[in-house]
Amino acid sequence: GSPAIWMPGLAGLVLLAGFVWRQRQVADPILPLDLFRSRNFSAGNLSTLFIYAALALNGFVLAVYLQQGAGLSATLAGLASLPSTLLMIALSSRIGTLVGRWGPRLFMTAGPLIMSVGALLLLLVADDFDYWWQVLPGMVVFGLGLALTVSPLTSTILGAADPERSGIASAVNNAVARVAGLLPIAALAAITGGALDLAGFHRAAVTTAALLIVGGLVSLLGIRNPRRSSSDASGGDAEGVAHPAAEPPGP
């Protein structure tokens, strides 16, 4: 209820509305709004909003709780999520190939849902802390879902725009991901109940899972697999989907 909270939020919404209005009026807009007429572009960015909010929340809460709650050093707390990163590096290229064959919808739906299971596995964390049984399983499952998600998410959004607009399409997706990462951190006190103790950590894990489930459902309902050309039947890439495995638009 503090004016220091709601007034900047309200001002931001007004400025956002003004920006959109201005982009509709000018001949050469910074952000061509007709990009959002593409179903895959709009749905992909909406899915990005939920998925990257979940990634930011999970990464921040895990790193802080493992230090303050579990008593790990900063280095060990940082290394705790390394299995997820390694799995993404190892599998993203292969996933990119499969996306070219089967389309992105399956992966953009299944990936976040699998990550939500990984987030819920963090509910195993207890006062009697044991990384190997309480955190590692969740990190492995989370990493598998992340590998399924990142490459098709990025390539679908870029593939939904004309080649000459790939730069602005990437910039929009990057901006959405950055904003998504800020929102749950700003709301962290409300999410955790005011303290990042074990109960707060569990609340954050459930919230992370909920965001990922919504992101997966948005992909299920909104993403459409591009049409396949005749060359695709022999194993080529799906039309309109960038083939190489892409990095997420942020850390």
Side-chain angles (χ1 to χ4, degrees):
S2 169
I5 301 299
W6 64 262
M7 287 184 66
L10 181 60
L13 292 175
V14 171
L15 289 171
L16 177 61
F19 174 78
V20 172
W21 177 83
R22 176 63 175 168
Q23 297 307 291
R24 293 173 62 90
Q25 307 303 315
V26 297
D28 295 309
I30 297 173
L31 174 59
L33 296 178
D34 58 348
L35 279 172
F36 293 94
R37 294 176 184 171
S38 167
R39 183 183 183 121
N40 278 3
F41 186 82
S42 297
N45 277 292
L46 184 58
S47 183
T48 295
L49 183 69
F50 289 103
I51 292 171
Y52 276 86
L55 291 177
L57 178 62
N58 180 77
F60 183 85
V61 169
L62 183 65
V64 173
Y65 178 79
L66 290 182
Q67 295 175 72
Q68 296 185 355
L72 299 184
S73 67
T75 300
L76 290 178
L79 291 174
S81 60
L82 184 61
S84 297
T85 304
L86 294 176
L87 282 169
M88 187 180 70
I89 293 172
L91 298 178
S92 286
S93 179
R94 178 59 178 166
I95 297 302
T97 301
L98 295 177
V99 169
R101 294 178 181 175
W102 299 340
R105 187 184 183 202
L106 171 63
F107 299 92
M108 290 176 63
T109 301
L113 297 181
I114 291 173
M115 280 194 285
S116 72
V117 175
L120 291 176
L121 284 174
L122 293 176
L123 295 176
L124 294 171
V125 174
D127 289 322
D128 185 15
F129 180 76
D130 186 312
Y131 170 80
W132 302 105
W133 296 105
Q134 297 175 6
V135 178
L136 182 60
M139 291 296 95
V140 171
V141 175
F142 201 90
L144 289 172
L146 187 63
L148 289 173
T149 303
V150 167
S151 178
L153 178 64
T154 307
S155 62
T156 297
I157 290 172
L158 295 181
D162 295 332
E164 62 270 17
R165 289 182 164 182
S166 60
I168 186 61
S170 178
V172 170
N173 188 235
N174 187 66
V176 170
R178 299 287 70 75
V179 171
L182 292 173
L183 294 176
I185 306 305
L188 187 61
I191 292 171
T192 62
L196 193 49
D197 52 10
L198 183 60
F201 179 78
H202 286 169
R203 291 190 192 97
V206 172
T207 303
T208 298
L211 289 169
L212 290 167
I213 290 171
V214 174
L217 292 178
V218 168
S219 296
L220 175 65
L221 299 175
I223 296 298
R224 292 293 179 265
N225 289 332
R227 294 179 180 178
R228 296 169 63 86
S229 64
S230 58
S231 63
D232 297 330
S234 60
D237 289 346
E239 181 181 354
V241 177
H243 177 70
E247 294 183 4

